[in-house]
Amino acid sequence: MHRMPHEKDLPLLANTNDILVKHYILDLTCDFENKMFSGSILLFLQAAGSLKQGSEVQTFAVLRDAQVCGMSKSDLNIEVTSSCVKCPTVMHTIKTGSEMLVNNSNYDLSTESVSACKKCHVGVQKTLNQNDDGLDYSNQSKEGRDTPYAADNKVNTGFSTFQNFPPHNSVASSVNDTAIENGQMDTIEKNTPCICDNNSSGNADIKLPDSTEEVFHFILDCCDITVHFVEEVSLPLNLFNKIFMDSSGDWQSTNNYYAACRNLSGIALNYRVEDWCLKIWKDAICTADSFPKVIRVNYHSNQEGASLKWVKDQDGRPCVFTPAAWINNRSLYPCQEPPVAMATWQAFIQAPKDAVVLMSGDQAAIVTESETGLNTYYYQTSMPLPSSTMAIAVGYWDCAEISGPATTGDLDANRQELKTPWCGHENNTCRVNYYYHPVLPCRLFAPKSLLPKVVAEFKEYLPRCFASAYKLLGPHPFSRIDLLIVPSSFASLGLASPNIIFLSQTLLAGDGSLCIRLAHEISHSWFGLLIGSWDWAEEWLSEGFATYMEDSIHALAMSWTQKQQQDHSELRALLRYKTLKAELLNTEEELQMLRPNQGKELRDQETSVLYVKNGMNPEKAFTQVHYLKGYFLLRYLSGMVGVSRFDQLIRDYVRLYHGKLVFSQEIFALLFKTFPELSVQGLTTERIYSEWLDYPGMPKVMDDYSPNNDNIVYTEVLQEVQKWKTINKANARKKKRIKVDVTSIDLEPDQLVLLLEYLLEEETLATRTLTQLNNTYHLSNKNADILHRWCELVTKHQYSNGYMDVRHFLVNHQAMGIYMYGECVLSASPELRKIAEECFETTSQDMDPGVYKTVHAMLFVEECEAEAMK
């Protein structure tokens, strides 16, 4: 079958080279009955690279008309500005010495006040005077609904359906309302001029629209949302100054200014929703500099959107969460997807009173109760991050606090203890909200029936894990963290986002044996969030680093000696090596490369559309190559310079690149700068690229791997393997069996996994041997890693006594179950295939779309082939 260009690549259509979102405000209501979020999002924009702090504010409309009249910007003194209440016309009073400029197009200007709009002949809402002080929004629509629409606008502005949609959320905002009442925003002048039908880019040279120019389109990435209307928000001039021009305030004050815009009225903009984007434009606006600075999009999410997972939790109650879909958050809200578009956000989320809203945010939510049956949860951030990193979850969960916030004194003392300033950014530009205490404030959330088990599993380990990460990597990038056990349909073992980690119920092993996965997710606070990747295809920069660091963090949390750490690290390296070797045999070549774009953009030459390589390839979600190959690269480099020296390099890497986006070349540049002797040894960046990153397959230096001979935990496994081979030979005798001793040593979980890996290499295992194995180690009751290998043995040898374990695994460990479906099909056993089909039928309704598609293709090959031929 002919493959279309970019068939498996994810398009990024947002025009971030022209214009950037600097801040989002989500004003949404969670509707469990209809499975949607509805409301609006405010976007605060700036032309890419053109907005300068402290520039003089002049409106585009006035400057345009002044230039038409032969006047320069320096000749003007804007005294009064107002907007018509009916049409999108901005009227200005301008003094030029003793003379007045009166433009005869859309403005009716006078020295004292503006009495009427020449375009529609309607009187202005109110005469504005810059000498007033304070803040008064009495003439603004509290609901943001007195939106004037141009009657002659023939493009879809939402006017025809405007009255049929629910009103904009009139959420009781204790945040911005209280700030106004308490005088925290008294520097904004009341009844100040509005920035609406204008430009305020601060550029000295204003480009006049040309009749031959194309209208500028502001493009947002989105899919599976229904847009009701789009409008330009009428922003008071002094509020505009505070948001876009004043860099002197703290971020809390800035967020208050942002929040003050929520209920301001607006003017309709043209828009069009396409398959992968939302395009917004304004008549006669031809450049990004001239485009409106604040946009409101009123919309609702659609149930089929992959960005949200609407399911029942383990107690049968409704919940929703962002499952890190391949489309990221673009069916939750229209946004700019390219990583370069880093922004801050605020959110006002309404949900039923008994529900809990968890979300990325610097502090825990401010909750406002109402008499409507809905509570409002308010979150805010101060660190700019890609929109793909934001996470949200709403459900009926119970909570247990693991650790509370440290005192200010402790935080200051810990900050002083650092030998050198942690941040090297110049001019106080760092926006990272570092937490200078080993133990983060942490809460656990889970369905009521699971919470006691969650607390028992993680309560002791988490504080030690936080402290270990702090010691190895420096202060925590985020000031708090929530951990949530999500429903069993979650397709991953864990997902780290700012301030919140989603965990699979699979990690509740009962003995803490899978807690190392927490170390991996906590590592992502530094690798993937604090330091992001310019190219999403270079996932090894987050997953490889997190996999490498999880061993060190876990060892420190477990208080292992250096020898214990080395032995366990080698054992886990062997398990990873076996997994990587198997994956490379079954993974298409372009998914085996850690840098498939080789540092270049993947852009279509004809359309100029930017793509994420394999962003829509369903197989990518199930491959671990970028985890494991990246891990082995870092392990290889560590072996060349020494573990302690390499760990210090990683710490320096964090200090140097925190809050930034990187390519692979940054870590290698630092590596060779720190260890110039590597070049003498023949290692170069080009060699690393050619052997590790840019080509498929196993690197030559990784042709084989085994732990050292003095590794005790490894040699114990080898002894057990040999013993079970002997037992199996005895059990395979058709005549009189030799009685053998099946007494076994007490193996640790990782040792048991390795034992089963070796036994899977045996061509045949007797039924009696499998029974003895299960009776000896109680495999049916072990953690999911062990149970997975046990189920592989069951399917390989069609051990019917273990079929219930296979069924249990497929239903309860869906994050790992996709591989087991394949084993059931390959077994050619009708009974195992029936079990797989029944489990698929039981779980498919809530199954992750990518998992569903893959499993369905495994079970119903002929049906899928027939569908593909249509």
Side-chain angles (χ1 to χ4, degrees):
M1 183 182 298
H2 178 68
R3 178 177 166 181
M4 298 293 291
H6 304 298
E7 180 182 359
K8 296 184 179 181
D9 304 326
L10 179 66
L12 299 174
L13 298 181
N15 50 341
T16 54
N17 288 336
D18 300 318
I19 195 166
L20 290 169
V21 179
K22 62 181 291 184
H23 188 77
Y24 297 93
I25 297 183
L26 283 78
D27 237 320
L28 301 174
T29 297
C30 176
D31 183 347
F32 282 124
E33 183 177 355
N34 294 302
K35 295 184 179 180
M36 70 178 185
F37 281 94
S38 62
S40 67
I41 182 170
L42 279 181
L43 303 98
F44 296 80
L45 312 178
Q46 64 182 49
S50 67
L51 188 64
K52 297 180 181 180
Q53 295 291 344
S55 300
E56 182 182 1
V57 178
Q58 298 284 10
T59 64
F60 173 76
V62 175
L63 291 172
R64 175 190 62 198
D65 293 338
Q67 290 185 357
V68 169
C69 297
M71 302 180 66
S72 67
K73 176 179 175 181
S74 59
D75 295 327
L76 301 177
N77 175 24
I78 299 178
E79 184 177 86
V80 179
T81 307
S82 184
S83 59
C84 178
V85 296
K86 181 178 180 181
C87 72
T89 297
V90 175
M91 297 165 285
H92 306 266
T93 298
I94 309 167
K95 282 189 175 181
T96 58
S98 59
E99 299 178 358
M100 287 297 303
L101 164 69
V102 179
N103 180 269
N104 60 5
S105 56
N106 293 336
Y107 307 112
D108 188 0
L109 306 169
S110 66
T111 56
E112 296 298 328
S113 65
V114 182
S115 58
C117 172
K118 283 229 175 195
K119 185 171 184 178
C120 65
H121 306 288
V122 173
V124 298
Q125 193 166 359
K126 184 176 181 178
T127 300
L128 304 177
N129 190 326
Q130 285 187 311
N131 295 325
D132 292 339
D133 53 14
L135 179 66
D136 180 9
Y137 291 143
S138 58
N139 289 309
Q140 299 288 355
S141 167
K142 187 66 175 176
E143 297 293 324
R145 304 306 262 166
D146 60 346
T147 307
Y149 289 86
D152 58 350
N153 188 351
K154 297 180 181 180
V155 186
N156 179 12
T157 63
F159 177 76
S160 61
T161 55
F162 169 66
Q163 295 181 352
N164 298 326
F165 291 108
H168 172 69
N169 291 331
S170 57
V171 177
S173 171
S174 60
V175 179
N176 52 297
D177 290 347
T178 302
I180 294 171
E181 292 170 4
N182 293 341
Q184 297 176 20
M185 302 170 67
D186 56 8
T187 55
I188 302 177
E189 299 171 3
K190 70 178 181 180
N191 300 329
T192 53
C194 286
I195 304 297
C196 194
D197 185 42
N198 63 299
N199 167 69
S200 301
S201 65
N203 289 344
D205 298 318
I206 301 299
K207 184 177 180 180
L208 299 180
D210 189 291
S211 60
T212 62
E213 282 190 275
E214 292 186 1
V215 173
F216 174 77
H217 286 77
F218 172 44
I219 305 175
L220 293 167
D221 295 301
C222 72
C223 63
D224 296 320
I225 66 171
T226 298
V227 177
H228 304 159
F229 61 84
V230 180
E231 59 187 8
E232 172 187 0
V233 174
S234 304
L235 206 63
L237 181 59
N238 281 41
L239 185 55
F240 175 92
N241 289 343
K242 286 295 180 182
I243 292 174
F244 290 97
M245 315 309 292
D246 185 0
S247 61
S248 61
D250 58 50
W251 294 112
Q252 180 61 57
S253 298
T254 302
N255 278 346
N256 285 339
Y257 297 134
Y258 284 134
C261 302
R262 290 172 57 221
N263 296 317
L264 298 181
S265 61
I267 295 172
L269 292 175
N270 310 312
Y271 73 93
R272 181 170 64 249
V273 180
E274 299 181 355
D275 287 344
W276 287 106
C277 68
L278 169 63
K279 292 184 177 179
I280 304 169
W281 69 97
K282 183 175 182 178
D283 294 339
I285 299 300
C286 302
T287 67
D289 286 339
S290 311
F291 197 75
K293 295 299 180 286
V294 185
I295 300 297
R296 178 183 291 119
V297 180
N298 190 281
Y299 72 101
H300 71 255
S301 64
N302 297 338
Q303 185 175 339
E304 63 270 22
S307 298
L308 294 166
K309 189 80 172 171
W310 299 89
V311 292
K312 297 289 182 66
D313 66 18
Q314 290 85 342
D315 287 348
R317 307 199 72 180
C319 68
V320 60
F321 64 97
T322 46
W326 52 278
I327 60 168
N328 296 311
N329 287 324
R330 60 175 74 182
S331 69
L332 170 60
Y333 64 98
C335 58
Q336 292 184 322
E337 277 269 81
V340 67
M342 297 198 292
T344 51
W345 58 76
Q346 293 167 282
F348 298 82
I349 309 297
Q350 287 190 313
K353 276 191 174 182
D354 294 335
V356 176
V357 178
L358 303 177
M359 194 174 180
S360 303
D362 291 351
Q363 291 86 33
I366 298 175
V367 184
T368 304
E369 297 183 357
S370 70
E371 298 179 356
T372 63
L374 299 175
N375 286 346
T376 301
Y377 284 72
Y378 170 71
Y379 288 95
Q380 65 176 12
T381 68
S382 58
M383 176 181 173
L385 288 164
S387 62
S388 60
T389 64
M390 191 194 76
I392 187 172
V394 186
Y396 298 88
W397 301 300
D398 281 10
C399 174
E401 185 176 283
I402 298 300
S403 52
T407 65
T408 302
D410 285 343
L411 295 174
D412 290 339
N414 291 333
R415 187 184 294 108
Q416 295 299 322
E417 283 183 9
L418 292 175
K419 295 181 181 179
T420 57
W422 187 251
C423 177
H425 292 172
E426 298 179 356
N427 301 324
N428 297 318
T429 58
C430 185
R431 300 277 293 276
V432 180
N433 189 21
Y434 276 124
Y435 190 75
Y436 290 89
H437 193 274
V439 180
L440 273 175
C442 175
R443 301 179 300 177
L444 297 178
F445 289 85
K448 185 175 183 179
S449 64
L450 283 182
L451 187 61
K453 189 175 182 179
V454 177
V455 172
E457 193 85 15
F458 300 146
K459 183 178 180 180
E460 299 299 327
Y461 181 81
L462 273 170
R464 301 200 306 265
C465 190
F466 291 141
S468 300
Y470 182 93
K471 184 174 182 179
L472 291 169
L473 297 171
H476 296 284
F478 303 100
S479 58
R480 65 174 190 91
I481 198 161
D482 292 331
L483 283 78
L484 169 66
I485 300 296
V486 290
S488 58
S489 58
F490 185 43
S492 175
L493 291 177
L495 172 63
S497 300
N499 310 105
I500 186 169
I501 295 176
F502 296 156
L503 296 173
S504 167
Q505 66 179 34
T506 291
L507 300 186
L508 302 177
D511 58 1
S513 58
L514 294 179
C515 280
I516 190 171
R517 187 67 196 192
L518 298 183
H520 180 98
E521 299 305 331
I522 289 169
S523 297
H524 276 309
S525 290
W526 287 267
F527 308 109
L529 297 177
L530 180 65
I531 301 175
S533 175
W534 278 105
D535 183 356
W536 282 343
E538 296 187 24
E539 290 178 81
W540 82 274
L541 289 169
S542 58
E543 298 299 354
F545 272 81
T547 304
Y548 176 83
M549 287 306 305
E550 73 180 56
D551 286 354
S552 299
I553 293 173
H554 183 67
L556 196 56
M558 299 299 291
S559 300
W560 285 341
T561 65
Q562 185 175 351
K563 182 66 168 74
Q564 286 176 313
Q565 178 178 355
Q566 180 179 340
D567 286 355
H568 284 85
S569 179
E570 288 179 355
L571 187 71
R572 292 188 65 80
L574 179 57
L575 289 171
R576 290 167 178 149
Y577 178 79
K578 287 179 172 293
T579 301
L580 177 59
K581 194 172 182 179
E583 288 224 355
L584 291 175
L585 292 174
N586 299 286
T587 302
E588 55 186 278
E589 285 195 348
E590 68 178 10
L591 292 179
Q592 298 180 24
M593 294 182 284
L594 302 186
R595 200 176 71 123
N597 296 329
Q598 300 186 8
K600 303 175 183 177
E601 285 186 336
L602 179 60
R603 192 178 292 276
D604 188 278
Q605 294 183 353
E606 293 184 3
T607 65
S608 295
V609 172
L610 184 66
Y611 287 90
V612 177
K613 185 70 173 178
N614 282 303
M616 295 171 61
N617 188 340
E619 292 185 21
K620 185 179 180 182
F622 312 119
T623 179
Q624 301 180 65
V625 171
H626 44 284
Y627 290 75
L628 301 178
K629 202 172 176 182
Y631 155 81
F632 278 113
L633 170 56
L634 296 175
R635 185 178 174 84
Y636 168 71
L637 297 175
S638 173
M640 294 195 72
V641 302
V643 174
S644 60
R645 297 176 74 200
F646 191 73
D647 286 349
Q648 183 58 49
L649 174 78
I650 290 182
R651 192 176 171 93
D652 292 341
Y653 172 69
V654 170
R655 288 189 65 249
L656 185 60
Y657 290 107
H658 66 273
K660 297 181 180 180
L661 301 174
V662 298
F663 288 107
S664 298
Q665 63 199 43
E666 272 77 23
I667 183 61
F668 301 133
L670 181 62
L671 174 75
F672 288 104
K673 179 180 179 181
T674 307
F675 305 114
E677 65 270 19
L678 291 177
S679 299
V680 179
Q681 299 175 34
L683 186 67
T684 63
T685 301
E686 290 72 22
R687 181 182 163 190
I688 295 174
Y689 285 158
S690 64
E691 294 184 4
W692 288 90
L693 301 187
D694 295 350
Y695 293 92
M698 188 76 77
K700 294 179 181 179
V701 295
M702 289 292 299
D703 283 343
D704 196 13
Y705 176 82
S706 61
N708 292 319
N709 293 330
D710 65 345
N711 188 317
I712 298 174
V713 295
Y714 174 59
T715 56
E716 286 179 346
V717 173
L718 294 182
Q719 293 170 7
E720 286 295 288
V721 171
Q722 189 57 48
K723 184 188 75 176
W724 282 102
K725 286 182 178 180
T726 302
I727 292 172
N728 189 53
K729 285 182 180 179
N731 290 334
R733 289 176 177 267
K734 294 182 179 180
K735 297 182 180 181
K736 185 178 179 180
R737 291 176 179 155
I738 300 174
K739 187 175 181 180
V740 293
D741 183 12
V742 296
T743 304
S744 179
I745 62 174
D746 187 16
L747 295 179
E748 296 179 14
D750 284 345
Q751 290 178 300
L752 196 48
V753 171
L754 185 58
L755 169 63
L756 297 179
E757 285 277 0
Y758 279 124
L759 293 180
L760 278 164
E761 296 173 3
E762 294 297 299
E763 186 175 344
T764 59
L765 288 179
T767 298
R768 181 178 173 84
T769 303
L770 293 168
T771 301
Q772 290 169 328
L773 266 174
N774 196 17
N775 291 339
T776 300
Y777 299 113
H778 309 289
L779 300 174
S780 300
N781 301 319
K782 295 297 183 180
N783 72 38
D785 273 342
I786 298 170
L787 185 60
H788 185 201
R789 270 72 173 190
W790 167 241
C791 289
E792 285 185 286
L793 282 172
V794 168
T795 56
K796 179 178 180 178
H797 302 290
Q798 298 186 23
Y799 176 62
S800 58
N801 288 345
Y803 286 179
M804 286 300 297
D805 292 335
V806 175
R807 185 184 295 274
H808 170 80
F809 186 85
L810 290 175
V811 172
N812 293 286
H813 300 296
Q814 295 180 45
M816 301 170 67
I818 188 169
Y819 303 103
M820 190 51 54
Y821 279 105
E823 297 294 332
C824 290
V825 172
L826 291 173
S827 72
S829 164
E831 191 172 353
L832 282 170
R833 185 181 186 89
K834 181 180 179 182
I835 289 173
E837 290 179 357
E838 290 174 351
C839 291
F840 179 69
E841 183 179 355
T842 300
T843 61
S844 61
Q845 183 175 355
D846 292 335
M847 193 174 278
D848 175 85
V851 175
Y852 177 92
K853 183 177 181 179
T854 303
V855 174
H856 187 270
M858 290 179 185
L859 296 176
F860 310 104
V861 178
E862 295 180 359
E863 179 182 325
C864 292
E865 289 179 348
E867 184 67 26
M869 294 297 292
K870 292 181 180 180

